[in-house]
Amino acid sequence: MGMSQHVASPASAASAALLDLARDIAVRAAEFALEARRAGVSVAATKSTPTDIVTAVDRDTETLIRSLILEARPDDGIVGEEDATHIGTSGLDWVVDPIDGTVNFLYDIPAWSVSIAVVEGAGGGAIGGTTIAGVVVNPVTGELFEATAGGGARLAGRDLAVNDAVPLSAALVGTGFGYAAEHRREQAAVLLGLLPRIRDIRRAGSAALDLCAVAAGRIDAYYERGLNAWDYSAGALIAREAGARLGGPRGGHENSELLVAAAPGLYEELARALREAGVDA
């Protein structure tokens, strides 16, 4: 009797091929950025505020990533943090954060990452499409998180799963803060309302790694306001494929206004607590 053999669908095979390419590019970019960090780094410019910084390594790493993407897939679009959007014609956009956690990178805190996602149907941008593959690499630890839509999330070949059945009172919750003083004041007020209702807060400094931490069960939930698509696209897919529920303002999809990620049983409790603390989750 012949043994039945699972045949991947064309869509899943395409996602796997994109993931392979994203992984290869992310690893090369991580090696490049880590070597540059070891050689020394300084602030090249500021962006929205004096504390919102960019280094030459950010720019050089994104340039490397863009060149590798276009070499392999010249018709795809690219949306990155440090350079103008490259409009493609294929219907696929690569959403790139060359160094997520630039302040950690500057201070040599080993919690920064290279984040690369592939988004389908976004219409020449990163918003409104479906993320089909994502990779987040911590160059210092060498950990590589990855996922494809419908294919699960993995770390070093191990399937990831969020912590389930955790009540809000026992939840370890990650978050982050904006750069502008007025936004930080509002975020601090929310934190004051939330902190007495949970186990504790963690602030690692990289949204991509925080979302991967949810996926790996290292924290129970994560929320943040003011993120950009390149901050969260890959990490959100990884968390979702590990079983997390993700959402945004007023019960909608996660976006730059708000992202909340938690196991399904915890999500509603956390969203309610955030609303009561002043966030319209």
Side-chain angles (χ1 to χ4, degrees), residues 224-247:
E224 189 162 348
R225 303 176 74 179
L227 295 172
N228 294 295
W230 48 78
D231 298 314
Y232 66 78
S233 291
L237 176 66
I238 292 164
R240 185 173 273 120
E241 286 296 322
R245 176 179 171 184
L246 277 81

Side-chain angles (χ1 to χ4, degrees), residues 34-72:
L34 184 60
E35 187 61 32
R37 180 64 192 79
R38 288 169 174 161
V41 64
S42 61
V43 175
T46 59
K47 292 186 281 190
S48 61
T49 73
T51 54
D52 184 5
I53 61 169
V54 60
T55 72
V57 184
D58 286 273
R59 294 170 174 167
D60 291 346
T61 304
E62 184 166 315
T63 297
L64 172 64
I65 292 170
R66 283 172 175 255
S67 69
L68 293 172
I69 292 169
L70 293 175
E71 179 183 319

Side-chain angles (χ1 to χ4, degrees), residues 28-262:
R28 289 184 62 178
E31 292 170 348
F32 173 84
L34 184 60
E35 187 61 32
R37 180 64 192 79
R38 288 169 174 161
V41 64
S42 61
V43 175
T46 59
K47 292 186 281 190
S48 61
T49 73
T51 54
D52 184 5
I53 61 169
V54 60
T55 72
V57 184
D58 286 273
R59 294 170 174 167
D60 291 346
T61 304
E62 184 166 315
T63 297
L64 172 64
I65 292 170
R66 283 172 175 255
S67 69
L68 293 172
I69 292 169
L70 293 175
E71 179 183 319
R73 297 186 59 88
D75 296 330
D76 291 355
I78 304 173
V79 180
E81 181 172 12
E82 308 304 343
D83 206 348
T85 295
H86 172 79
I87 304 299
T89 58
S90 68
L92 295 178
D93 289 290
W94 294 69
V95 184
V96 174
D97 196 340
I99 297 177
D100 186 58
T102 305
V103 174
N104 286 350
F105 176 79
L106 178 67
Y107 280 79
D108 204 17
I109 298 169
W112 51 277
S113 61
V114 175
S115 175
I116 301 177
V118 186
V119 180
E120 185 175 41
I127 306 300
T130 300
T131 306
I132 58 176
V135 176
V136 175
V137 182
N138 181 331
V140 183
T141 65
E143 288 189 319
L144 187 151
F145 301 85
E146 63 182 22
T148 55
R154 290 166 298 282
L155 166 62
R158 175 175 61 88
D159 290 340
L160 298 177
V162 298
N163 292 335
D164 210 356
V166 178
L168 183 67
S169 60
L172 186 62
V173 180
T175 193
F177 307 106
Y179 293 106
E182 61 271 22
H183 294 158
R184 295 168 73 87
R185 189 175 295 109
E186 295 169 0
Q187 290 165 334
V190 170
L191 190 59
L192 285 174
L194 181 64
L195 190 55
R197 304 181 62 176
I198 61 176
R199 181 190 296 273
D200 206 349
I201 282 284
R202 291 293 179 267
R203 195 276 200 262
S206 164
L209 289 179
D210 279 332
L211 286 161
C212 292
V214 173
R218 295 174 180 175
I219 57 177
D220 300 304
Y222 167 72
Y223 78 95
E224 189 162 348
R225 303 176 74 179
L227 295 172
N228 294 295
W230 48 78
D231 298 314
Y232 66 78
S233 291
L237 176 66
I238 292 164
R240 185 173 273 120
E241 286 296 322
R245 176 179 171 184
L246 277 81
R250 296 167 292 282
H253 202 269
E254 69 270 12
N255 59 27
S256 60
E257 187 178 339
L258 175 68
L259 183 150
V260 181

Side-chain angles (χ1 to χ4, degrees), residues 5-32:
Q5 186 175 9
H6 174 72
V7 178
S9 70
S12 63
S15 295
L18 288 166
L19 180 65
D20 287 344
L21 179 59
R23 184 193 306 114
D24 290 345
I25 293 173
V27 167
R28 289 184 62 178
E31 292 170 348
F32 173 84

